[in-house]
Amino acid sequence: MKIGLIGYGKMGKAIEAIALDRGHEISVRVNREHPIEEVNWEEIDVAIEFTQPDLAVRHMEYCMKNHTPVVVGTTAWQQDLPKVEQLVSNLNGSLLHASNFSVGVNIFFEINRKLAEIMNRYPAYSVHMEEIHHVQKLDAPSGTAVSLANDIIAEHQAYTSWKLSTENPGSDAISIKAIREPNVPGTHEVTYDSEIDSIRIEHIAHNRTGFALGAVLAAEFLLGKEGIFTMKDVLK
């Protein structure tokens, strides 16, 4: 499979290593020196996009218009998801997006949803979250934290929204503390506190390998398909 990397930073290089190890070819690398406008789309079977929120939708548009399936790992662009869905539908495109491609994190998502369903029956516990990432990460909270919070909201009737801890969230909003430190691939905690005790679940990424492997698995899954998919579809 010929993979086009849209974004060739630390994550792009990690994806490259995994893809080559699995027998794929990196045919295109898009970065500042090699802009997307110069891409020969005939050289790409599937694109993998890890860039910035303000660039992601434009990159998806290029992929759709050039009939190239694309795996999108950039987060914080989802306010434009209806526009992207319409574009994919109009052009019979193929797109897979996720807030996190790590298999371990997606297992963590399932545990988080089940725990929220259980804790909905115990109003003495209040929930709060914390996420820690490297200082280069631009969005806060992380897309993974947002997904975790939205899943809690869907299962727990006490919560209707989420807010950063610096925004003085009320009792019906999940407080998310976002911390940026050097050389942290990603840590997410969900804690339920009561006067008696605390219940905490946590996922700690030791490196970028899990994210990179998940992105390559997603690209392998997406090849030859049409429509919009997520990591749930890959893991089924």
Side-chain angles (χ1 to χ4, degrees):
M1 185 167 68
K2 294 180 180 179
I3 297 175
L5 295 177
I6 303 177
Y8 194 56
K10 291 179 180 179
M11 182 56 71
K13 291 179 174 64
I15 291 169
E16 179 178 54
I18 295 291
L20 293 175
D21 187 60
R22 292 177 68 84
H24 302 302
E25 175 186 347
I26 304 302
S27 55
V28 170
R29 299 167 182 84
V30 173
N31 56 18
R32 289 187 181 127
E33 289 73 35
H34 303 283
I36 197 167
E37 291 83 1
E38 298 177 359
V39 167
N40 179 356
W41 294 94
E42 293 182 358
E43 296 181 349
I44 304 175
D45 294 323
V46 180
I48 301 179
E49 202 274 356
F50 272 86
T51 60
Q52 300 175 14
D54 59 331
L55 300 175
V57 174
R58 184 170 71 92
H59 292 158
M60 287 180 247
E61 289 175 346
Y62 268 97
C63 292
M64 292 304 103
K65 290 175 181 177
N66 288 279
H67 310 290
T68 301
V70 59
V71 172
V72 182
T74 304
T75 58
W77 59 268
Q78 276 75 9
Q79 70 277 5
D80 292 318
L81 183 57
K83 172 185 175 182
V84 171
E85 289 174 335
Q86 190 62 54
L87 185 68
V88 172
S89 176
N90 290 345
L91 297 176
N92 300 316
S94 180
L95 183 145
L96 190 152
H97 67 96
S99 60
N100 196 305
F101 284 94
S102 162
V103 172
V105 166
N106 281 274
I107 294 170
F108 190 64
F109 284 154
E110 296 294 329
I111 295 169
N112 176 62
R113 281 190 286 270
K114 185 61 179 179
L115 181 58
E117 177 188 340
I118 294 169
M119 298 310 292
N120 185 45
R121 303 194 293 269
Y122 299 95
Y125 290 86
S126 61
V127 67
H128 60 90
M129 295 172 51
E130 179 176 290
E131 57 98 340
I132 310 172
H133 281 87
H134 53 86
V135 294
Q136 290 83 18
K137 187 167 181 60
L138 299 178
D139 54 323
S142 67
T144 300
V146 171
S147 293
L148 289 164
N150 286 337
D151 285 345
I152 294 170
I153 291 165
E155 300 292 343
H156 201 305
Q157 63 185 11
Y159 300 100
T160 60
S161 63
W162 60 263
K163 290 185 179 180
L164 284 168
S165 58
T166 53
E167 297 175 331
N168 299 315
S171 59
D172 63 342
I174 300 169
S175 173
I176 305 177
K177 185 176 182 180
I179 300 170
R180 297 293 174 262
E181 296 179 350
N183 303 315
V184 178
T187 296
H188 294 87
E189 294 180 1
V190 179
T191 302
Y192 290 85
D193 281 326
S194 75
E195 292 184 0
I196 298 172
D197 55 15
S198 298
I199 301 169
R200 176 178 299 162
I201 57 173
E202 179 181 55
H203 180 272
I204 302 172
H206 300 307
N207 51 54
R208 291 181 172 84
T209 302
F211 310 124
L213 174 60
V216 175
L217 291 174
E220 293 171 351
F221 167 87
L222 191 60
L223 187 65
K225 293 183 173 63
E226 183 178 307
I228 292 186
F229 305 90
T230 69
M231 277 301 285
K232 285 185 181 179
D233 300 297
V234 178
L235 297 174
K236 283 180 181 176

